[in-house]
């Protein structure tokens, strides 16, 4: 690295040889003398510089975070200062830049700015579907400020826009086709803006029919349930929803395939009498919430729910995780690739007595943060999602050669300072948030 005076000296030499010699013939003698005087003065000034004789560190204010979300090939994080930063594919999500449809990747976090309303302090993040294109793009991202207003950005937005009707919801989550939100009274509403009727063609809005709800005029999920958590698959086209009620019951509705057991309601197929054939005899659309079989959850208090692809997992108050649905690639986490028709305990042997405190399901991988600050993942590892430092421990697909982990496997923390508080699983990547806000 050049010291400052040598760098400036190089500029002087460049001036002499790059300019002076090629144009000296056009100067009068007095002009050349004046140039020489200036160069001598510069040399004397350079010799007196000492504060920059060695490289000086550039000090940047450290940004610490309190929440991170991931979806597809994109992640966003909420800082302790109330700012939102995003990274990944902006061509799909256009994180607050107005670059809709332009393939730009942000390898470093980019702060989301709202020029029309001035600086904002945000307190929450959520994934939202507002796609008006055909076929639909992955979901967008929204942030809530201190006054309860939600701002959203992504491919269907021109920069960052305020979405007024979202003030009616305390939380919500979406995929490419539809969004479900919880109102303050625990009532669940689902809706779609997708123009070709994609929002409720499998009954995933839970209204008892296949008529799509519109964003500003929604009907609640049928049954009069009071929900505490709603889980929507982040995988495009999975088209089913699961919900946890305040009285510790689980329900699922939407599309299910024979043998995948997305609803966790057992082996009976179709799982309810009002389900209708969807495309072929092995796929059904069920517009009414169907109870999940709670056999393995008797006496357990469920504190978290996460849904993705053809799988769902819940976390109980004792730190045990239970999963159901498609088993290919080790997604159940019980040491097999067998699909689970009801909630099945995840094998906890590798945790050495540890307990989970948070879970997150991605496209084909599941992860959990433990009470002692570690992260364990199971499922597909074809992109290194398990984070163990080596790609895959099992060849889970002899045909494609895909690798996976059949049970929770520890994420390599050799480069991590601190302990993990939470985890966010996206498409083919996973993010963890430490107790230090990193």
């Amino acid at each position: 690295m050049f010291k400052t005076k040598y760098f400036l000296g190089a500029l002087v030499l460049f001036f002499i040889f790059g300019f002076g010699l090629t144009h000296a013939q056009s100067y009068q003698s007095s002009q050349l003398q004046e140039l020489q005087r200036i160069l001598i003065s510069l040399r004397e000034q350079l010799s007196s510089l000492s504060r920059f004789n060695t490289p000086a560190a550039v000090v940047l204010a450290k940004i610490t975070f309190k929440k991170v979300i991931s979806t597809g090939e994109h992640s966003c994080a909420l800082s302790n200062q109330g700012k939102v930063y995003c990274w990944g594919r902006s061509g799909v999500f256009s994180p607050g830049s107005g670059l809709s449809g332009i393939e730009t990747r942000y390898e470093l976090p980019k702060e989301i700015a709202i020029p029309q309303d001035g600086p904002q302090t945000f307190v929450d993040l959520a994934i939202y579907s507002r796609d008006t294109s055909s076929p639909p793009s992955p979901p967008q991202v929204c942030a809530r400020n201190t006054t309860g207003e939600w701002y959203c950005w992504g491919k269907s937005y021109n920069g960052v826009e305020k979405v007024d009707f979202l003030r009616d919801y305390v939380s919500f989550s979406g995929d490419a086709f539809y969004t479900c939100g919880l109102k303050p009274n625990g009532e669940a509403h689902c809706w779609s803006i997708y123009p070709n009727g994609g929002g409720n063609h499998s009954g995933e809005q839970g209204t008892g029919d296949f008529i799509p709800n519109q964003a500003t005029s929604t009907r609640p999920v049928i049954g009069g349930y009071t929900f505490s958590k709603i889980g929507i698959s982040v995988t495009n086209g999975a088209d089913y929803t699961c919900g946890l009620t305040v009285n510790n019951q689980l329900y699922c509705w939407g599309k299910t395939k024979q043998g995948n057991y997305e609803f966790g309601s057992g082996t009976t197929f179709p799982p309810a009498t009002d389900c209708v054939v969807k495309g072929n005899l092995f796929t059904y659309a069920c517009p009414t919430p169907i109870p999940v079989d709670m056999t393995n959850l008797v006496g357990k208090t469920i504190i978290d729910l996460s849904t993705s692809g053809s799988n769902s997992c819940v976390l109980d108050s004792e730190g045990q995780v239970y999963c159901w649905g498609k088993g290919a690639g080790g997604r159940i986490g019980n040491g097999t690739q067998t699909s689970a028709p009801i909630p099945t305990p995840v094998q906890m042997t590798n945790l050495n007595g540890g307990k989970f405190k948070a879970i997150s399901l991605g496209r084909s991988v599941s992860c959990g943060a433990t009470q002692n600050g570690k992260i364990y993942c199971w499922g597909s590892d074809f992109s290194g999602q398990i984070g163990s430092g080596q790609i895959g421990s099992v060849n889970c697909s002899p045909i494609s050669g895909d690798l996976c982990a059949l049970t929770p496997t520890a994420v390599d923390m050799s480069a991590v300072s601190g302990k993990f508080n939470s985890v966010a699983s996206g498409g083919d990547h996973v993010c963890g948030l430490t107790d230090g806000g990193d």
Side-chain angles (χ1 to χ4, degrees), residues 86-91 94-95 97 99 104-110:
C86 297
W87 58 96
R89 293 185 61 181
S90 66
S94 300
S97 63
L99 300 177
T104 302
R105 296 173 185 263
Y106 289 94
E107 296 181 357
L108 295 175
K110 171 183 172 60

Side-chain angles (χ1 to χ4, degrees), residues 76-79 82-86 110-112 122 125 143 153:
C76 290
L78 174 64
S79 76
K83 305 298 182 182
V84 177
Y85 299 80
C86 297
K110 171 183 172 60
E111 182 179 351
I112 302 302
F122 293 108
L125 292 175
W153 56 93

Side-chain angles (χ1 to χ4, degrees), residues 120-186:
Q120 301 286 323
T121 299
F122 293 108
V123 295
D124 199 8
L125 292 175
I127 299 170
Y128 178 54
S129 175
R130 192 238 189 201
D131 200 355
T132 57
S133 62
S134 179
S137 70
Q140 288 80 45
V141 176
C142 300
R144 179 167 59 90
N145 67 12
T146 53
T147 60
E149 296 171 314
W150 286 93
Y151 288 84
C152 303
W153 56 93
K155 186 175 181 181
S156 296
Y157 291 94
N158 181 22
V160 181
E161 297 180 20
K162 184 166 63 176
V163 184
D164 291 330
F165 79 90
L166 289 177
R167 290 177 63 97
D168 296 336
Y169 297 93
V170 294
S171 65
F172 55 85
S173 182
D175 77 346
F177 291 100
Y178 71 109
T179 297
C180 287
L182 288 181
K183 293 200 170 183
N185 64 356

Side-chain angles (χ1 to χ4, degrees), residues 329 337 391-406:
Q337 295 191 65
I391 304 297
S393 57
V394 177
N395 185 348
C396 57
S397 179
I399 296 177
S400 65
D402 288 344
L403 300 173
C404 66
L406 300 181

Side-chain angles (χ1 to χ4, degrees), residues 211-252:
I211 302 172
N213 275 334
Q214 298 304 308
T216 56
S217 178
T218 62
R219 297 167 294 158
V221 171
I222 196 171
Y225 304 109
T226 302
F227 291 98
S228 60
K229 184 75 181 284
I230 292 290
I232 292 180
S233 171
V234 298
T235 303
N236 295 351
D239 297 343
Y240 78 99
T241 311
C242 292
L244 170 65
T245 68
V246 293
N247 61 352
N248 205 51
Q249 297 298 305
L250 292 162
Y251 296 87
C252 296

